[in-house]
Amino acid sequence: MEIFNTFNLIGDVPTDLVSFTFFIGTMALMAASVFFFLSLNAVDAKWRSSILISGLITFIAAVHYYYMRDANIEGGDTTFFRYVDWILTVPLMCVEFYLILRVAGATKNLMWKLIGLSTIMLVTGYVGEAGMGDAALWGLFSGLAYFAIAYMIWFGEAKQLAVKAGGAVESAHRTLAWFVLVGWAIYPLGYMLGTEGWYDGIQDIISLDMDVVYNIGDAVNKIGFGLVVYNLAVSK
Ligand SMILES: *C/C=C(C)/C=C/C=C(C)/C=C/C1=C(C)CCCC1(C)C
């Protein structure tokens, strides 16, 4: 899709939807990082590490977006950078759940379970997406780990701790749980658009490139997640 052609007066200006979303994604993630880092001193000491991690998540992603933006313009593959980014940032999101629920007595055990499941989710997803195995099968394994994460957060240990904490922590947890259920569901959709399996034909219904869908997912989830944490930190 050739949009923004009119602006293509100098070098590497994005001329299609995919590179445009890489470009705008880099900017948005960088801006969010600056915002979170500058907020560090404005929040109560007990929330400082949560805000720091929000900033690290968007900063790590911004750096990877900078590289993916380049790789995309050069016609290269972005899968590797994409998964390196995720394998660093998704576990940090699991740490956020732990830090928030610590007030209700969350243990490191809960954090490691979430990190373990997210690692399984991403490694199996990478195997399928990098063409190292049957994409539909590895996508299914990945989906099961995703389901286990969503279950823990919505109904399992994490949920019970949130209820115990009550108040602002419980409502922040509820919002983050929605991000995991709805926001994270954007990713398997992108995966189905970019790989082959029983879901072939989905491209006829949703005519978006896999990278565009992943880029939307990252902007929503990484920045949104951070803002929920920020909101909690300034409310208490
Ligand atoms: C900042 C990045 C985030 C929040 C990335 C999340 C990624 C996922 C929830 C990916 C999930 C996948 C499946 C559930 C099945 C297909 C393979 C994946 C890895 C795309």
Side-chain angles (χ1 to χ4, degrees):
M1 203 188 300
E2 290 281 320
I3 53 172
F4 305 103
N5 255 343
T6 17
F7 303 109
N8 197 7
L9 304 171
I10 40 167
D12 289 344
V13 171
T15 55
D16 61 87
L17 190 58
V18 178
S19 40
F20 179 69
T21 57
F22 274 122
F23 173 73
I24 206 86
T26 311
M27 293 303 145
L29 290 162
M30 272 168 47
S33 310
V34 171
F35 175 78
F36 293 132
F37 290 143
L38 290 182
S39 306
L40 270 174
N41 287 320
V43 301
D44 195 87
K46 72 171 186 228
W47 293 119
R48 233 160 254 166
S49 31
S50 305
I51 297 292
L52 177 65
I53 291 180
S54 294
L56 286 177
I57 290 170
T58 51
F59 181 72
I60 291 169
V63 174
H64 285 84
Y65 266 66
Y66 183 78
Y67 283 100
M68 287 196 281
R69 184 191 139 275
D70 256 4
N72 174 256
I73 289 171
E74 305 291 331
D77 189 23
T78 51
T79 308
F80 180 74
F81 289 127
R82 178 77 76 189
Y83 277 82
V84 174
D85 171 356
W86 289 353
I87 207 86
L88 297 170
T89 53
V90 178
L92 285 175
M93 290 176 150
C94 299
V95 175
E96 293 275 41
F97 272 105
Y98 160 72
L99 288 178
I100 288 172
L101 296 174
R102 220 168 28 167
V103 290
T107 59
K108 286 237 170 67
N109 182 38
L110 170 95
M111 179 185 88
W112 286 116
K113 269 190 223 164
L114 289 171
I115 292 178
L117 286 167
S118 65
T119 306
I120 295 172
M121 174 180 85
L122 296 172
V123 170
T124 51
Y126 183 74
V127 171
E129 199 170 312
M132 285 147 53
D134 183 328
L137 184 66
W138 288 96
L140 177 69
F141 291 149
S142 174
L144 290 173
Y146 169 47
F147 180 81
I149 295 170
Y151 186 87
M152 260 181 87
I153 288 167
W154 273 86
F155 308 105
E157 270 176 82
K159 171 69 179 179
Q160 279 140 29
L161 287 164
V163 171
K164 193 169 148 203
V169 168
E170 187 181 2
S171 72
H173 179 86
R174 196 178 310 121
T175 313
L176 293 180
W178 277 108
F179 270 98
V180 170
L181 190 69
V182 181
W184 288 23
I186 296 172
Y187 298 97
L189 179 69
Y191 183 89
M192 290 193 277
L193 286 164
T195 60
E196 279 171 20
W198 54 266
Y199 39 77
D200 283 350
I202 189 176
Q203 294 88 346
D204 302 333
I205 306 164
I206 303 161
S207 60
L208 283 176
D209 192 277
M210 173 177 71
D211 274 313
V212 172
V213 175
Y214 283 165
N215 292 353
I216 293 170
D218 281 350
V220 169
N221 289 296
K222 293 186 164 67
I223 300 172
F225 223 79
L227 288 174
V228 175
V229 173
Y230 172 80
N231 196 43
L232 171 66
V234 293
S235 77
K236 288 195 92 181

